[in-house]
Amino acid sequence: MSVVKTNEPQERPTVYLTRKEHFSASHRLFNPKFTEEENLATYGKCAYPNGHGHNYEIEVTVAGEPGKDTGMILDLKKLSDLIDEEILSKVDHKHLNMDVDFLKGIIPTAENIAVAFWRVLCPKLTAGRLYSIRVFETPNNFAEYRG
Ligand code: NI
């Protein structure tokens, strides 16, 4: 009778690797279809007319199988450089409603930002598979998109 060793490592285990980054930016949440009162009722302080800032944190998670020889899914330094080039350099110290091409016409909630970041980053990834992007607007509030 054979014994199933459930704690044996899998041949090619899938592992999830995450890089954290941060940026600071301003935004205003409002929908031009709503009245001022409706915008305030919907978005609260984030609807104030002149905008305000957040210290955003993001977590980019890539799934993959560690290479046999390297033990890595991808080089985290390269992932960090890619996030910097494709996202952070475009949003850090910017006004998200006005200054960022890929956010034009989008209400910059954490939800919408997570989706927009995914669409920018996913085609540029050369190793691993993009698994999730988390956007923290505050330490307690974040949105996660998994494609
Ligand atoms: Ni806000």
Side-chain angles (χ1 to χ4, degrees):
M1 206 160 96
S2 67
V3 176
V4 177
K5 295 178 183 169
T6 52
N7 60 349
E8 278 290 303
Q10 294 166 257
E11 187 74 19
R12 299 297 310 275
T14 299
V15 179
Y16 300 84
L17 193 64
T18 300
R19 176 71 191 180
K20 287 175 81 164
E21 302 283 355
H22 69 269
F23 66 95
S24 300
S26 48
H27 76 164
R28 181 191 177 208
L29 299 184
F30 75 105
N31 187 326
K33 288 189 252 175
F34 298 168
T35 63
E36 284 298 309
E37 291 72 29
E38 286 170 334
N39 272 309
L40 274 171
T42 305
Y43 301 115
K45 291 178 187 174
C46 281
Y48 287 172
N50 294 324
H52 59 275
H54 289 285
N55 292 314
Y56 292 91
E57 300 280 344
I58 63 172
E59 293 179 4
V60 175
T61 300
V62 173
E65 295 72 36
K68 268 204 166 92
D69 296 327
T70 63
M72 301 194 304
I73 298 165
L74 51 74
D75 183 343
L76 274 173
K77 172 73 170 79
K78 285 185 183 160
L79 179 60
S80 172
D81 288 347
L82 185 68
I83 297 167
D84 193 41
E85 193 180 316
E86 299 296 332
I87 294 175
L88 303 181
S89 68
K90 295 171 185 170
V91 298
D92 189 38
H93 285 71
K94 298 288 176 62
H95 197 300
L96 301 181
N97 300 71
M98 293 182 273
D99 300 332
V100 184
D101 282 347
F102 66 75
L103 294 175
K104 285 270 155 67
I106 289 172
I107 300 169
T109 57
E111 295 93 317
N112 284 344
I113 294 170
V115 173
F117 285 2
W118 178 287
R119 290 181 177 161
V120 167
L121 205 58
C122 193
K124 304 282 181 180
L125 209 61
T126 55
R129 302 177 297 280
L130 193 54
Y131 174 75
S132 75
I133 294 188
R134 286 177 162 187
V135 175
F136 290 74
E137 197 175 80
T138 72
N140 293 328
N141 297 335
F142 70 91
E144 177 171 18
Y145 184 57
R146 292 183 181 170

